[in-house]
Amino acid sequence: PLSKSGALEKILSEYSPYRCKETLPYSTHRLNLSFIICYHDPGKDKLLSIYFDLNGGLGYFNMGNKVVPTRSNRYEEQMVDDWIELLTNYPEAFILDIGSNIGVYTLVSASMGNFVISVDIVPAHHS
C-alpha cells in the first residue's frame, strides 16, 4: 500500500477520474502543445469538466439548462497561450499552482518541462 493507514488509497478510490483524454493543442502558432487531462463527471462539475468532456476539449459554457459553445475551441485558450508564452521566456521557472483545481496550468507547465508543485484543498482534484 501507498500509506500505512490506507487513507491515500481510499481517497484515490473514492475520487477516481471520470475520464482522461488528450486536449486539443494550445499555442498552435508556436508549440502546438497538448496534454492529458483527467476530469470529473461533467454532470457534477459543470465548471471545468464539461469543457474537457465535450468534443475532446472544445470550449462550452453552461448557461443554466443549456450548454453553449464558446468563441474559443480550447479551455481558457488565451490565458493558457499567455501562460505558455511566459514559460517560454522563463524555462527554468519553478511553478507553484495553488488552487490548481483539476490542474490545467499544472499540466501545461509540466508538459513544458518546468518543476511544478500543485496544491488544491479538494481531495477529488488530487486524483
Side-chain angles (χ1 to χ4, degrees), residues 6-115:
L8 180 58
E9 290 85 353
K10 184 177 183 211
I11 288 172
L12 291 175
S13 68
E14 288 178 7
Y15 300 108
S16 61
Y18 174 79
R19 184 174 293 141
C20 297
K21 61 169 58 171
E22 186 171 1
T23 64
L24 294 169
Y26 284 87
S27 188
T28 54
H29 63 286
R30 295 191 61 186
L31 298 174
N32 213 31
L33 178 73
S34 63
F35 52 91
I36 303 296
I37 186 85
C38 296
Y39 54 89
H40 307 295
D41 180 350
K44 296 177 183 173
D45 174 19
K46 296 185 189 237
L47 296 176
L48 288 178
S49 296
I50 197 165
Y51 279 87
F52 294 104
D53 190 56
L54 298 171
N55 299 314
L58 289 175
Y60 286 83
F61 186 71
N62 182 19
M63 299 285 291
N65 293 332
K66 188 171 151 188
V67 176
V68 182
T70 63
R71 196 181 71 203
S72 168
N73 288 342
R74 290 151 186 85
Y75 175 75
E76 293 187 350
E77 182 173 14
Q78 186 60 54
M79 291 193 331
V80 171
D81 283 350
D82 290 347
W83 184 246
I84 290 170
E85 184 73 26
L86 282 170
L87 294 178
T88 301
N89 291 330
Y90 300 96
E92 302 296 320
F94 287 81
I95 307 302
L96 178 58
D97 188 355
I98 298 176
S100 59
N101 202 297
I102 61 174
V104 174
Y105 292 89
T106 294
L107 294 168
V108 167
S109 303
S111 295
M112 294 188 65
N114 294 86
F115 178 80

